[in-house]
């Protein structure tokens, strides 16, 4: 039921934005529809030797650019329509942040936390073999990545399976992103989506006109934040908001319950507490509260960073946050969105705000194709140039810098710094463009602006395509 609501919501958001587009209805239909879907069922051996049939999907939403790109979700809740809706969001996301890929998404219907590592590995390898069999994976075809319920480990199994079957192909490591570093991954990918959420939120809230409309001071410092989901995305978003933005995380909601402390929670310490005890509950100094009710507590920014359909017509009227930052995909459904917008709440949409993950995936894919890391060819050169510049400055001014000051000026970039700065630049630019479209075309909200911008970029490229007979 809820995956239908999600599918309907994404279509409704598309349709609402498409009303503002000048493109031909046929082109818009092509932008909206999912280009190809592979639904599979395959047998996997259980730990006790018996066989389980697993259902899985891969949806390739748009071929206006190749390869297609998008994560693989492991969850008991995945369905065909959820996978299609998520794949379409990938298309719009990539178009928005200038990642030259079409959108795709995969779903495997298992509950990863209840399965052994051995079972998850057998499922992942078999799923990869199924994708290879139907040409639904490859460096120039379709490139998966992590999503809810998957991570580096699964991506490592995928590349290993691919490599052993397609031994003679070029660029094999570019068949999947989000890989472990030891398998040609890229530093910064794990935290990319969450860090991108931080850069995106900062870009939006530092605009004085946005802050003024919301009755807030510009910027993130001192803003009270409630977070839903302390997974990879939520954790890194909150950590950067706290450490780099000076925001105060007053509540965290997880499956086992919520905790609240108006004085603020220390996110890395809370994460360690959850690792140790298996729960966010009973964190020192915080009050245990109902996990759903916590979303309705007083705060400036609410960050849903878990799953879709968390804010609906049911709870939207009671949400007190002034800003909803969609770190997850589809956390606000269309009825919830309408209520929030009507109440003057600013929703920063998923297709922009969580695009940091696929942005850094793109860097990983480029690195794999180049066969060299980004810093290798420039790091020493930059360091020598900086050293000469510092020496010239010291000669000219007659002053000598302290060792630590000099060190901070001369070092050449490492790969992580390059990745993070390129991610930051991508999110700043994307926000600027959405903001401009929002104001110039007098659109009702940021989501409509983001959708319209993406739709028109994809439509533009389709309008140059030949239509094959
Ligand atoms: N699963 C992530 C998303 O929803 C990342 C996709 C990717 O890196 O390809 O954006």
């Amino acid at each position: 039921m809820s995956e239908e609501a999600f599918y309907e919501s994404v279509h409704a958001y598309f349709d609402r934005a498409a009303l503002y587009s000048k493109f031909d209805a046929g082109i818009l239909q092509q932008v909206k529809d999912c280009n190809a879907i592979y639904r599979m069922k395959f047998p996997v051996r259980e730990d006790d030797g018996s066989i389980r049939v697993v259902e899985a999907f891969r949806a390739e939403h748009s071929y206006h650019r190749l390869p297609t790109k998008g994560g693989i979700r492991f969850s008991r809740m995945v369905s065909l329509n959820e996978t299609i809706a998520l794949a379409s969001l990938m298309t719009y996301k990539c178009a928005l942040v200038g990642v030259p890929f079409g959108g795709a998404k995969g779903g495997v219907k298992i509950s990863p936390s209840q399965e052994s590592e051995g079972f998850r590995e057998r499922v992942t390898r078999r799923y990869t073999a199924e994708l290879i069999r139907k040409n639904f994976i490859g460096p120039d075809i379709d490139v998966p990545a992590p999503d809810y319920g998957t991570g580096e480990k699964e991506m490592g199994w995928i590349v290993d399976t691919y490599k052993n079957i397609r031994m003679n192909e070029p660029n094999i490591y570019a068949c999947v992103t989000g890989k472990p570093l030891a398998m040609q991954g890229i530093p910064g990918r794990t935290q990319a989506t969450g860090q991108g959420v931080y850069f995106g939120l900062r870009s939006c809230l530092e605009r004085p006109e946005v802050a003024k409309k919301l009755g807030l001071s510009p910027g993130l410092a001192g803003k009270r934040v409630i977070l839903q989901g302390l997974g990879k995305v939520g954790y890194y978003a909150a950590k950067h908001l706290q450490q780099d933005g000076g925001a105060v995380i007053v509540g965290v909601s997880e499956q086992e319950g919520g905790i609240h402390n108006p004085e603020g929670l220390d996110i890395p310490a809370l994460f360690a507490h959850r690792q140790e005890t298996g729960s966010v509950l009973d964190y020192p100094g915080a009050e245990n509260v109902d996990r759903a009710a916590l979303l309705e507590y007083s705060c400036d920014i609410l960050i849903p960073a878990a799953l879709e359909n968390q804010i609906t017509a049911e709870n939207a009227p009671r949400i007190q946050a002034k800003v909803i930052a969609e770190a997850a995909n589809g956390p606000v459904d269309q009825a919830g969105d309408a209520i929030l917008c009507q109440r003057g709440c600013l929703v920063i949409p998923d297709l922009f705000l969580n695009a940091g993950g696929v942005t850094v995936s793109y860097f990983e894919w480029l690195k794999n194709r180049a066969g060299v890391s980004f810093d290798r060819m420039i790091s020493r050169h930059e360091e020598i140039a900086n050293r000469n510049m510092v020496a010239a400055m010291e000669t000219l001014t007659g002053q000598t810098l302290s060792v630590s000051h000099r060190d901070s000026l001369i070092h050449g970039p490492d790969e992580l710094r390059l990745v993070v700065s390129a991610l930051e630049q991508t999110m700043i630019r994307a926000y600027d463009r959405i903001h401009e479209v929002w104001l110039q075309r007098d659109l009702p909200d940021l989501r409509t602006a983001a959708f319209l911008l993406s739709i028109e970029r994809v439509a533009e490229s389709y309008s140059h395509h030949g239509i094959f007979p």
Side-chain angles (χ1 to χ4, degrees):
M1 184 55 219
S2 72
E3 69 272 10
E4 291 310 314
F6 173 48
Y7 181 79
E8 297 298 329
S9 287
V10 176
H11 276 190
Y13 294 145
F14 181 100
D15 292 341
R16 190 177 61 186
L19 289 176
Y20 296 89
S21 172
K22 305 270 181 303
F23 278 90
D24 177 84
I27 296 245
L28 292 173
Q29 191 66 44
Q30 174 59 34
V31 176
K32 181 178 175 183
D33 285 344
C34 185
N35 291 181
I37 301 154
Y38 178 24
R39 170 178 175 272
M40 62 208 100
K41 288 204 177 192
F42 48 78
V44 181
R45 200 169 292 285
E46 300 263 22
D47 294 341
D48 67 5
S50 62
I51 296 288
R52 186 182 337 161
V53 177
V54 172
E55 186 178 25
F57 310 94
R58 183 78 183 167
E60 293 176 345
H61 173 259
S62 180
Y63 292 149
H64 75 291
R65 293 251 191 284
L66 286 173
T68 51
K69 184 92 190 75
I72 298 174
R73 179 172 288 204
F74 280 7
S75 155
R76 219 166 5 99
M77 306 301 286
V78 301
S79 70
L80 182 60
N81 276 348
E82 183 200 59
T83 312
I84 293 172
L86 288 164
S88 69
L89 276 180
M90 286 308 305
T91 295
Y92 310 135
K93 214 182 276 191
C94 289
L96 208 53
V97 288
V99 167
F101 297 148
K105 201 76 165 200
V108 180
K109 219 173 160 92
I110 62 165
S111 211
S113 59
Q114 277 151 40
E115 308 295 353
S116 69
E117 183 165 313
F119 184 77
R120 286 189 283 122
E121 177 170 353
R122 291 191 290 280
V123 167
T124 307
R125 289 186 183 277
R126 177 63 194 244
Y127 178 68
T128 309
E130 292 288 332
L131 296 178
I132 294 172
R133 189 212 295 263
K134 296 281 184 195
N135 242 355
F136 266 66
I137 184 171
D140 296 305
I141 299 171
D142 185 357
V143 182
D147 197 76
Y148 189 81
T150 59
E152 268 186 19
K153 235 180 208 161
E154 286 74 14
M155 303 307 116
W157 293 325
I158 292 175
V159 73
D160 187 59
T161 308
Y162 191 87
K163 191 172 139 207
N164 284 298
I165 298 179
R166 291 279 164 92
M167 205 121 47
N168 299 320
E169 256 187 24
N171 302 321
I172 34 183
Y173 282 98
C175 76
V176 63
T177 60
K179 302 179 291 291
L181 271 180
M183 295 185 88
Q184 317 284 330
I186 196 162
R189 175 63 186 86
T190 309
Q191 58 269 40
T193 312
Q195 196 164 11
V197 167
Y198 160 68
F199 290 137
L201 249 169
R202 190 189 66 188
S203 301
C204 177
L205 293 186
E206 71 189 10
R207 297 272 184 152
E209 69 273 32
V210 172
K212 193 168 166 218
K213 235 192 191 155
L214 297 166
L216 297 170
S217 58
L220 292 167
K223 300 291 179 301
R224 294 165 309 136
V225 176
I226 290 178
L227 172 74
Q228 182 198 39
L230 198 61
K232 239 183 330 182
V233 178
Y235 170 69
Y236 284 109
K239 180 172 174 265
H240 286 289
L241 278 164
Q242 180 180 43
Q243 292 179 351
D244 305 333
V248 185
I249 318 296
V250 296
V252 172
S253 165
E254 250 300 342
Q255 284 169 23
E256 62 274 10
I259 55 165
H260 183 250
N261 183 352
E263 301 301 314
L265 302 157
D266 181 59
I267 291 300
L270 173 62
F271 190 80
H273 168 83
R274 189 168 190 243
Q275 296 274 80
E276 209 175 287
T277 66
S279 166
V280 292
L281 297 174
D282 302 324
Y283 180 69
E287 185 195 352
N288 291 341
V289 297
D290 180 75
R291 70 187 177 113
L294 181 61
L295 307 189
E296 300 160 17
Y297 278 39
S298 168
C299 66
D300 300 310
I301 305 169
L302 172 63
I303 309 183
L307 284 172
E308 50 261 23
N309 297 324
Q310 300 302 302
I311 300 170
T312 63
E314 197 282 312
N315 59 356
R318 298 187 301 275
I319 301 277
Q320 296 186 54
K322 295 183 173 126
V323 179
I324 310 288
E326 291 191 328
N329 288 311
V332 179
D333 79 356
Q334 53 169 324
D337 188 66
I339 295 169
L340 293 172
C341 292
Q342 196 210 349
R343 295 180 54 219
C345 181
L346 179 75
V347 181
I348 309 182
D350 48 6
L351 66 162
F352 160 64
L353 199 63
N354 71 29
V358 75
T359 300
V360 175
S361 275
Y362 172 45
F363 303 153
E364 182 177 333
W365 182 83
L366 287 171
K367 168 186 175 172
N368 295 153
R369 301 186 72 96
V372 64
S373 58
F374 288 106
D375 58 325
R376 179 145 185 194
M377 301 305 290
I378 59 166
S379 191
R380 185 71 182 160
H381 173 267
E382 297 268 302
E383 189 175 318
I384 293 167
N386 292 343
R387 201 183 286 276
N388 290 340
M389 181 71 79
V390 167
M393 265 167 48
E394 285 182 335
T395 312
L396 281 172
T397 60
Q399 307 225 343
T400 310
L401 294 174
S402 70
V403 174
S404 68
H405 196 182
R406 184 187 294 130
D407 282 351
S408 75
L409 288 175
I410 65 172
H411 63 75
D414 58 26
E415 195 169 34
L416 179 62
R417 277 170 194 264
L418 290 170
V419 165
V420 172
S421 54
L423 168 64
E424 182 176 11
Q425 176 73 348
T426 301
M427 295 306 290
I428 292 172
R429 272 211 191 140
Y431 184 75
D432 286 350
R433 191 72 191 101
I434 299 168
H435 194 91
E436 193 182 294
V437 168
W438 184 27
L439 299 187
Q440 278 179 0
R441 295 175 74 167
D442 198 21
L443 299 169
D445 50 40
L446 274 177
R447 194 191 308 276
T448 308
F451 261 91
L452 181 60
L453 193 53
S454 316
I455 291 171
E456 298 215 314
R457 283 184 178 166
V458 180
E460 176 69 30
S461 91
Y462 268 124
S463 51
H464 297 292
H465 278 205
I467 308 291
F468 294 100

